[in-house]
């Protein structure tokens, strides 16, 4: 039988650059990584694809999935639902793939409770003002939404010590290198 894969929980405040850093290590063949595609009820951003970035669901459909117990964890983040579907996760873990969950703090805590052997990584900004800058530059949220995300970010950063590894994202390539070293240690 194949050795069961591991879960990698990759968390960090909105705007820290998780997506950019992830792209720099997710395809590294040594680690047999599989990205877990979350479901969300938030509107699709320009350039995002259903089934690639997220499973984009209506609020009603998301609530149906909750009732049917389809999520390992789900949260309401900034007025929208986000959740990790259980089905795909288990399928890939069984196949021996290591599954990366890119999720916010509350969901991460639920996953860590259920899977204490998960590899946990928290990506930090050098300064809070860097988050504001990034969120404003990407122009995907309005001012009110940015303000909310910054408040959430401050609360999330306070709990960074729950994560085994903390990486300060000064430069995405450097952060990806650090994460590759972590994955070598934990997975190989
Ligand atoms: P965004 O709207 O910027 O794509 O995501 C907002 C936040 O939700 C990010 O911190 C992202 O990591 C988090 N997120 C994405 N998918 C999930 C999920 O399935 N569960 C949880 N708990 N958070 C998620």
């Amino acid at each position: 039988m194949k050795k069961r894969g591991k879960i990698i929980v990759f968390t960090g405040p909105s705007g820290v650059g998780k997506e950019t850093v992830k792209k720099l290590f997710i395809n590294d063949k040594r680690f047999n990584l599989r990205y877990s595609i979350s479901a969300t009820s938030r509107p699709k951003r320009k350039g995002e694809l259903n089934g690639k970035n997220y499973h984009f669901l209506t609020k009603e459909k998301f609530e149906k999935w909750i009732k049917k117990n389809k999520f390992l964890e789900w949260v309401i983040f900034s007025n929208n639902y986000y959740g990790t579907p259980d089905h795909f996760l288990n399928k890939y873990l069984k196949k021996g793939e290591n599954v990366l969950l890119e999720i916010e703090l509350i969901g991460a805590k639920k996953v860590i409770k259920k899977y204490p052997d998960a590899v946990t990584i928290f990506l930090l900004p050098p300064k809070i003002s860097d988050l504001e800058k990034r969120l404003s530059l990407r122009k995907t949220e309005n001012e009110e939404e940015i303000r909310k995300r910054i408040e959430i970010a401050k609360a999330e950063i306070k709990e960074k010590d729950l994560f085994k590894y903390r990486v300060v994202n000064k430069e995405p390539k450097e952060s990806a290198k650090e994460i590759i070293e972590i994955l070598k240690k934990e997975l190989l």
Side-chain angles (χ1 to χ4, degrees), residues 1-6 31-35 86-99:
M1 223 172 67
K2 272 224 164 124
K3 192 169 160 248
R4 201 173 155 85
K6 272 199 172 178
F31 306 123
N32 196 13
L33 292 172
R34 164 78 60 169
Y35 175 56
D86 227 348
H87 175 73
F88 308 104
L89 180 84
N90 275 312
K91 182 171 119 188
Y92 296 128
L93 291 174
K94 260 191 208 152
K95 285 200 329 196
E97 297 184 27
N98 297 306
V99 183

Side-chain angles (χ1 to χ4, degrees), residues 8-161:
I8 297 111
V9 179
F10 187 41
T11 299
S14 175
V16 74
K18 296 190 292 285
E19 173 87 19
T20 313
V21 173
K22 180 190 79 190
K23 280 190 189 146
L24 299 172
F25 68 82
I26 191 86
N27 293 320
D28 190 320
K29 294 280 178 285
R30 288 171 293 182
F31 306 123
N32 196 13
L33 292 172
R34 164 78 60 169
Y35 175 56
S36 156
I37 301 166
S38 294
T40 184
S41 67
R42 88 144 156 73
K44 210 191 276 174
R45 290 180 193 143
K46 214 171 142 210
E48 285 185 328
L49 295 173
N50 190 29
K52 180 172 183 278
N53 303 89
Y54 282 105
H55 301 288
F56 290 98
L57 307 182
T58 59
K59 191 168 162 281
E60 292 70 30
K61 181 99 189 238
F62 199 105
E63 287 167 352
K64 263 193 197 151
W65 283 30
I66 295 175
K67 278 203 190 114
K68 288 187 183 164
N69 264 328
K70 286 196 175 206
F71 293 110
L72 164 64
E73 60 77 31
W74 64 270
V75 295
I76 295 176
F77 177 93
S78 206
N79 295 333
N80 287 302
Y81 286 116
Y82 293 83
T84 307
D86 227 348
H87 175 73
F88 308 104
L89 180 84
N90 275 312
K91 182 171 119 188
Y92 296 128
L93 291 174
K94 260 191 208 152
K95 285 200 329 196
E97 297 184 27
N98 297 306
V99 183
L100 183 96
L101 309 185
E102 184 201 310
I103 60 178
E104 55 66 71
L105 180 82
I106 298 167
K109 288 205 278 193
K110 292 182 194 165
V111 175
I112 295 168
K113 206 166 169 191
K114 194 158 175 193
Y115 294 95
D117 65 335
V119 179
T120 59
I121 306 171
F122 195 95
L123 193 66
L124 285 155
K127 303 189 275 346
I128 284 282
S129 57
D130 296 329
L131 293 180
E132 281 167 330
K133 229 185 279 168
R134 273 187 65 101
L135 287 172
S136 308
L137 278 176
R138 79 181 188 193
K139 295 195 170 75
T140 48
E141 285 82 22
N142 63 30
E143 259 179 50
E144 168 63 12
E145 177 68 19
I146 292 175
R147 199 188 53 73
K148 254 193 242 161
R149 285 182 179 235
I150 295 296
E151 282 317 303
I152 299 172
K154 286 181 186 163
E156 288 187 326
I157 290 169
K158 282 193 188 142
E159 299 203 56
K160 64 181 190 305
D161 292 344

